[in-house]
Amino acid sequence: DVKVTQSSRYLVKRTGEKVFLECVQDMDHENMFWYRQDPGLGLRLIYFSYDVKMKEKGDIPEGYSVSREKKERFSLILESASTNQTSMYLCASSSPGQGGSYEQYFGPGTRLTVT
Amino acid sequence: EDKVVQSPLSLVVHEGDTVTLNCSYEVTNFRSLLWYKQEKKAPTFLFMLTSSGIEKKSGRLSSILDKKELFSILNITATQTGDSAIYLCAPWGDSSYKLIFGSGTRLLVRP
């Protein structure tokens, strides 16, 4: 079974703090993604990476950065946390399957509260 | 701009009812559409649809794609309380990596 793990299920941080969210997958997937999920807005893509040290901005990258030093690990960094970054953060990974399915496998999510 | 609209936004039914969830999309160079179920935590994969008119089935769930009219439906028959979840549709298009998620339909099945 594919496993995607995230470092924390719940996190509370103060405004202005630097926040690291870690994601690890064990299936040797090339692609990894960070989303945030807010009520009524669905999943919105923050950043994704299609290879080690490669990254691309998603739809809402402002206020975030990412790091992918190893294939299995993709980190999301909030340089200076703000209250509007309070959200559920979901990591996902994918790899072309048979027929190029690109199905994404999700981690359990980190609920971040910024006070 | 790529767009995905799911309807209804939320739905409350009783056990045993049949529900139909809708997903319409406008995606550049459409390739396929995925359905996910999200309960308390991570979304889990249900179906991937690539061809029009071919129904995918898994137990009481089924789904079909219409590439001409740009929509997909997810049917759940004889609903159970365990079907309560958010159902997400996600087409993908010109980028090989990105799925475009709709905001989801929140389904609540009452006993």
Side-chain angles (χ1 to χ4, degrees):
Chain A
D1 271 357
V2 175
K3 199 158 180 197
V4 181
T5 56
Q6 295 183 227
S7 50
S8 307
R9 290 297 310 277
Y10 300 95
L11 210 51
V12 180
K13 295 290 181 181
R14 291 191 184 278
T15 301
E17 279 193 82
K18 192 167 185 175
V19 182
F20 293 87
L21 303 183
E22 301 282 334
C23 175
V24 178
Q25 50 94 4
D26 66 359
M27 282 301 291
D28 203 36
H29 283 171
E30 291 89 351
N31 308 324
M32 296 187 76
F33 307 81
W34 274 106
Y35 295 91
R36 65 177 282 178
Q37 186 175 28
D38 301 288
L41 296 176
L43 271 74
R44 293 181 290 166
L45 182 64
I46 305 171
Y47 267 97
F48 66 99
S49 167
Y50 51 89
D51 202 350
V52 175
K53 296 193 188 292
M54 306 302 286
K55 60 186 179 186
E56 282 205 25
K57 292 179 181 179
D59 301 314
I60 50 163
E62 296 78 20
Y64 303 94
S65 61
V66 289
S67 171
R68 191 153 180 214
E69 296 296 318
K70 292 186 178 181
K71 193 174 185 181
E72 67 271 18
R73 188 180 297 269
F74 192 34
S75 303
L76 179 70
I77 303 149
L78 285 67
E79 298 291 342
S80 176
S82 63
T83 54
N84 63 13
Q85 293 178 309
T86 292
S87 188
M88 169 70 88
Y89 289 87
L90 289 162
C91 174
S93 71
S94 76
S95 187
Q98 289 183 347
S101 70
Y102 288 100
E103 177 193 336
Q104 292 188 14
Y105 297 85
F106 285 85
T110 295
R111 186 166 292 282
L112 172 68
T113 302
V114 182
T115 60
Chain B
E1 187 184 324
D2 295 337
K3 199 163 91 170
V4 182
V5 177
Q6 289 188 246
S7 63
L9 290 181
S10 65
L11 195 53
V12 181
V13 301
H14 286 100
E15 270 193 317
D17 288 350
T18 294
V19 297
T20 299
L21 311 183
N22 302 292
C23 174
S24 65
Y25 63 88
E26 292 175 29
V27 172
T28 306
N29 295 330
F30 173 84
R31 297 193 190 188
S32 62
L33 184 144
L34 283 72
W35 282 96
Y36 284 84
K37 176 183 180 183
Q38 185 178 22
E39 295 173 86
K40 293 213 186 301
K41 34 187 185 179
T44 52
F45 173 77
L46 292 174
F47 298 111
M48 187 179 80
L49 303 157
T50 305
S51 302
S52 267
I54 297 175
E55 186 182 53
K56 293 264 180 115
K57 271 183 86 77
S58 175
R60 295 175 294 101
L61 277 67
S62 63
S63 185
I64 199 159
L65 176 69
D66 185 327
K67 286 163 76 172
K68 187 177 171 191
E69 300 297 329
L70 306 182
F71 75 89
S72 175
I73 59 172
L74 176 69
N75 278 318
I76 309 175
T77 58
T79 51
Q80 301 172 357
T81 55
D83 296 327
S84 296
I86 297 172
Y87 291 85
L88 299 162
C89 84
W92 58 283
D94 65 342
S95 162
S96 293
Y97 316 107
K98 285 174 59 172
L99 294 175
I100 302 149
F101 281 90
S103 56
T105 293
R106 183 180 293 275
L107 173 66
L108 177 63
V109 182
R110 293 196 185 281

